Amino acid sequence: MEKILFIAPHLSTGGLPQYLVKKIELLKGEFEIYLIEYNNSTGGKLVIQKNKILDLVDEDKFFMLDDNKEETLEIINKIKPNIVHLEEIPEYFMNYDLARKIYNVDRNYFIVETSHDSSFNSNHKIFFPDKFMFVSNWQIQQYKNIDIPKILVEYPIEYQKRLNRVKTLTKLGLDPFKKHILHVGLFTPRKNQAE
């Protein structure tokens, strides 16, 4: 079975970790899965997706880095993955010297990058993977100037049975005869809460 090493910038609650949960669910059984959490930014809070991932990945195949990010190279040398899949572009989260070593032209693994951001100017790209796996068509257009294979892998639509609206809103102390707008996601300046 081929080995895939995911490198995630963080596993705090949000879109990137949930997307990674779904990828691991779909690939488990097809690949031997390893995972590096580059930054432990949760402090033990906001760990819904992290806990799901820990249930999916064998304990001895999960690595949480401390200040020594160079440990990434030791892990790669130890497990000898067929694929190193960065769950964000290295320009956003990784130390330059480390990224340079991972992207070494003499590497014996295939590199895939996924990005969860739409603001990066692709003209500033420094490190080039063997393939991009994007979450939206917008990103494919954004990176069209880079001659590297690109595929679109959207998060699947998951249909949930709707709960009884009146009962649920009443339980929450909300008036079931009014419209309620919910926000799903983290509150950050770039998520358009101002809208």
Side-chain angles (χ1 to χ4, degrees):
M1 191 178 304
E2 288 195 339
K3 298 176 184 177
I4 184 167
L5 170 63
F6 288 102
I7 302 176
H10 67 85
L11 294 176
S12 65
T13 297
L16 179 156
Q18 181 57 41
Y19 186 85
L20 182 55
V21 166
K22 188 56 70 177
K23 271 202 275 200
I24 293 171
E25 287 174 350
L26 295 171
L27 295 174
K28 192 171 173 130
E30 301 289 324
F31 290 90
E32 190 175 333
I33 296 178
Y34 294 81
L35 174 62
I36 293 175
E37 181 181 21
Y38 193 81
N39 289 305
N40 179 16
S41 58
T42 65
K45 300 188 182 346
L46 303 173
V47 291
I48 292 168
Q49 282 84 13
K50 182 174 183 171
N51 289 341
K52 288 180 183 178
I53 288 170
L54 291 174
D55 287 341
L56 291 167
V57 176
D58 296 336
E59 188 176 327
D60 64 331
K61 295 176 180 162
F62 174 78
F63 306 91
M64 185 169 38
L65 300 183
D66 54 22
D67 292 337
N68 179 16
K69 306 304 183 194
E70 292 286 320
E71 186 182 356
T72 305
L73 298 172
E74 296 168 23
I75 294 166
I76 290 172
N77 289 332
K78 178 183 172 187
I79 66 173
K80 298 181 179 14
N82 303 92
I83 301 168
V84 172
H85 188 135
L86 283 83
E87 202 56 40
E88 187 53 83
I89 60 172
E91 290 85 354
Y92 269 177
F93 75 96
M94 192 173 277
N95 167 293
Y96 173 85
D97 289 331
L98 175 59
R100 187 177 48 77
K101 292 172 186 173
I102 291 171
Y103 283 74
N104 179 331
V105 294
D106 295 326
R107 65 184 179 264
N108 55 2
Y109 47 84
F110 192 81
I111 295 181
V112 178
E113 285 182 20
T114 293
S115 180
H116 298 270
D117 187 89
S118 61
S119 66
F120 185 73
N121 182 341
S122 61
N123 292 321
H124 298 147
K125 190 86 175 99
I126 300 168
F127 303 105
F128 298 95
D130 298 299
K131 190 171 199 172
F132 286 110
M133 178 183 285
F134 288 127
V135 301
S136 72
N137 274 317
W138 169 265
Q139 292 172 316
I140 289 174
Q141 292 306 309
Q142 183 181 5
Y143 285 75
K144 67 183 176 188
N145 62 315
I146 298 176
D147 188 25
I148 291 175
K150 303 161 191 64
I151 61 167
L152 173 64
V153 180
E154 295 177 304
Y155 190 89
I157 296 172
E158 296 177 316
Y159 294 97
Q160 304 291 330
K161 183 179 177 192
R162 185 173 179 173
L163 301 174
N164 180 294
R165 182 180 185 278
V166 172
K167 186 177 177 181
T168 305
L169 290 173
T170 303
K171 184 177 179 179
L172 293 171
L174 300 171
D175 184 345
F177 299 102
K178 291 185 178 179
K179 290 188 180 201
H180 302 277
I181 300 171
L182 302 176
H183 175 80
V184 178
L186 300 178
F187 284 94
T188 66
R190 293 191 53 243
K191 298 285 185 182
N192 287 329
Q193 279 88 9
E195 305 285 321

